[in-house]
Amino acid sequence: MENSTYTYNKLCNIMEKSYDVIVIGGGIAGSAAAIASAMAGVNTLIIERNSCLGGLASGGQVTPMMHNGIDGRPGRSYINEIIKKKMALEGYGADDHYGNDGWFNTEMIKYTLEEILSDYKGEILYNTELLDTVVENNKIKGVIVHNKSGLSLIRGRVFIDSTGDADAAFASGVTCFKGDELLHNNQAMSLRFMVGNIDIMKLKAFLKEIGEPDILEYPLVEIASVWEATTPLNKVFQRALKDRVIEYPDGKYFQAFSVPGMPGVMSFNCPEIPGIYDTLDTSAVSRGLTIGRKMIKRLYGFLKAYIPGFEKSCIISSAELPGIRESRRIRGKYILSEKDFSERAKFEDGVARTAYPIDIHGLIDEKKLGIKLMERGEYFEIPYRCMVTDSIENLLVAGRCISSTFIAQSSVRIQPTCSALGEAAGVAAAYCVRNKEKANELDGKIVRDIMSEQLKEVSC
Ligand SMILES: Cc1cc2nc3c(=O)[nH]c(=O)nc-3n(C[C@H](O)[C@H](O)[C@H](O)COP(=O)(O)OP(=O)(O)OC[C@H]3O[C@@H](n4cnc5c(N)ncnc54)[C@H](O)[C@@H]3O)c2cc1C
C-alpha cells in the first residue's frame, strides 16, 4: 500500500504495525466488539476520538441500560453480562428487582471496559479520530486517522465501524440513510446532566407524600414527567411553568435516575432540545448544546426551589457528549424494519434480540403508528446481514447505526442491543481473520451459534 496512489500517502505517517481487527468508535458497541475480537485471540485495536471507552454510556452519561423486555437467557449476550456482573460485584452496578439489572455507574464503566479489554490484550488508541478509509477492490486496506502525532494510516484486515454515525462506512462509499424516510430529520437530541448532594430519602418521602409512584428501593430512585401526563409530579412542573421558573420545552420530557456507587447523585435524561433536526450538522449540534445548558440551569433552579431533597444539591456536570439518539444508518444486506417488529421476526442469522418498544423522541407519536406493543415472551431478532454491506467485503457495522429504517432503529438503539451487536461484530471479525473469510459473505448463523455457546458460560 506504500505504493498506492492514495494522496494521503504524501501527508501520512504509515504505522509500522498492522492489526487483524480495527474497531473504530469505543461506545458500548465498539467496546463489546473489541472485547469479543480480542477474546477470540486475534490482535485488535480500538480507535476512539475521546479519552475513554463507553461512548454515550460514559461520556454521554446515559444510564441505566434499558431492559430489552425479554426475560432470562434469550435476551442476554455474553459480553454485556460480563460487563454488568463485574460492575455489580464492585458496587457500581445494580438490579432494581423489577427485571432490570442494567443500572450502572457512568464513570466506572470507563474503568470496567478498559480492564476487560486489557485482560485480553486489546489495544486502545484514544484522542484519535477517523478521517477516511483507504479502499481498494471493495476492501478497506487501512484507516486514515488524526491525533496529536498528525495524520496516520493504520492497516488492518477486518474493520468494525461502531462510530454511531457510520463514519467509516460512509467514508468507504457505503450507501447510508439519515433520519426519517420523508424529511430526513433525526430524533431529538438531549444533553444529559448530573446533580449531586441530593437527599434521596427526603426526595422519596416527598414523592410518597404527593402520591407519586416510587416502587424502587433506596438508594435507587427514578423520577419522570411529561406535559401530557397528569401525575402529581407534573402538577409541580405546571406550577413552575406558571411561575415562569421553567419554560415549556424544559418540561416536555423530564426523567432522572439514581446512579449505583454515587450516593446522593442522580443522572438526568433531559433536557430534550427543541429545533435540532440534523445531528450530523456540527453547528446545529453546537447550538443545541448551548440551548441545552441554558435549559439545564433553569431545570436545576426549579429542582432546588420546588422539589424537597434538592435544597443543598449541586450540578456536578453536563455530559461531554451530546445526547444523539440517531444520525446516519448504513444500507446493509438486510434493512430491519417496523414490519420485523410487528411480525416478531426471527432469522436463522439472528444475532441479537429485543422487545424494547418503538421509542422516537421529538418527531413522531409512537401510538399513532399503530404498531402493537410486545406481549411478555414476544420479541424480534436482528439478523447478522444488518451489519454487513454488498459493497465492502471486510467491513462490519455495529451499534445504533446498523441497517434499519428510522422507526426500527428507535427500538434497537438501547445499550444492551448495541452491546450484543458489537459482540456479534467482534465474533464475526475474529472468525473471518482466522478462516480467511469475507465478512459480507459469512453465514451469520455461525456467529449466532458461537454467541449462544459463549453465553452458556455465564449464569443468567
Ligand atoms: C439522551 C439519550 C438517552 C438514552 N437513554 C437510554 C437509556 O436510558 N438506556 C439505554 O439502554 N439506552 C439509552 N439510549 C441509547 C443508547 O445510549 C445508545 O443508542 C447507545 O449507547 C449507542 O451505542 P453505540 O456504541 O452504538 O454508539 P455511541 O455510544 O454513540 O459510541 C460511538 C463512539 O464512537 C466514537 N466516534 C464517533 N465518531 C468517531 C470517529 N470519526 N473517530 C473515532 N471515534 C469516533 C464516539 O466518540 C463514541 O465513543 C439513550 C441515548 C441518548 C442519546
Side-chain angles (χ1 to χ4, degrees), residues 24-30 47-50 52 54-57 62-66 128-131 162-165 167 189-192 255 257 269 321-325 398-401 409 413-416 418:
I24 310 121
I28 192 73
I47 295 169
E48 167 54 49
R49 69 177 170 193
N50 294 317
C52 62
L56 283 166
V62 177
T63 184
M65 292 183 188
M66 284 291 118
T128 301
E129 183 156 29
L130 171 107
L131 295 185
S162 41
T163 57
D165 302 325
D167 282 357
M189 69 174 269
S190 296
L191 178 61
R192 299 199 44 149
Q255 192 178 30
F257 302 88
N269 186 20
L321 292 187
I324 291 174
R325 294 179 168 87
R400 64 180 167 89
C401 50
Q409 192 271 358
R413 67 187 176 83
I414 56 164
Q415 290 168 17
C418 287

Side-chain angles (χ1 to χ4, degrees), residues 1-14 134 144 150-153:
M1 216 183 357
E2 283 77 355
N3 297 327
S4 155
T5 52
Y6 194 75
T7 50
Y8 271 112
N9 273 6
K10 297 194 185 106
L11 307 167
C12 270
N13 308 307
I14 305 204
V134 180
I144 310 285
L151 283 182
S152 304
L153 172 70

Side-chain angles (χ1 to χ4, degrees), residues 9 49 52 85 109 185 194 223 240 243 245 247 371 380 391 397 430 436:
N9 273 6
R49 69 177 170 193
C52 62
K85 284 184 195 313
I109 197 169
N185 286 335
M194 283 198 174
I223 48 176
D243 297 346
V245 171
E247 294 179 10
I371 298 173
F380 73 107
S391 51
V397 178
K436 299 194 169 46

Side-chain angles (χ1 to χ4, degrees), residues 340-351:
D340 297 313
F341 183 105
S342 296
E343 293 176 354
R344 284 54 169 149
K346 309 288 184 308
F347 302 91
E348 287 256 293
D349 63 340
V351 288

Side-chain angles (χ1 to χ4, degrees), residues 347-361:
F347 302 91
E348 287 256 293
D349 63 340
V351 288
R353 280 153 281 280
T354 187
Y356 188 76
I358 304 292
D359 181 11
I360 303 168
H361 284 248

Side-chain angles (χ1 to χ4, degrees), residues 227-335:
W227 290 128
E228 298 78 39
T230 48
T231 58
L233 190 60
N234 188 254
K235 291 207 177 76
V236 187
F237 272 79
Q238 280 170 11
R239 196 151 42 87
L241 183 67
K242 210 165 140 225
D243 297 346
R244 295 175 185 248
V245 171
I246 54 170
E247 294 179 10
Y248 189 82
D250 304 337
K252 187 171 183 291
Y253 187 94
F254 172 89
Q255 192 178 30
F257 302 88
S258 51
V259 186
M262 284 191 190
V265 173
M266 290 184 80
S267 167
F268 288 76
N269 186 20
C270 49
E272 192 167 294
I273 300 155
I276 309 298
Y277 304 112
D278 184 352
T279 55
L280 290 166
D281 174 349
T282 306
S283 57
V285 172
S286 304
R287 204 167 55 247
L289 291 170
T290 314
I291 298 170
R293 286 201 184 88
K294 283 194 179 124
M295 294 172 84
I296 290 174
K297 243 180 147 179
R298 281 195 299 268
L299 277 169
Y300 175 63
F302 154 71
L303 292 166
K304 256 185 115 130
Y306 287 72
I307 310 284
F310 282 89
E311 297 87 342
K312 294 181 182 156
S313 67
C314 55
I315 295 181
I316 301 179
S317 59
S318 54
E320 207 178 303
L321 292 187
I324 291 174
R325 294 179 168 87
E326 174 267 332
S327 55
R328 197 188 276 128
R329 310 179 303 280
I330 60 155
R331 182 198 173 95
K333 288 200 154 199
Y334 185 86
I335 304 171

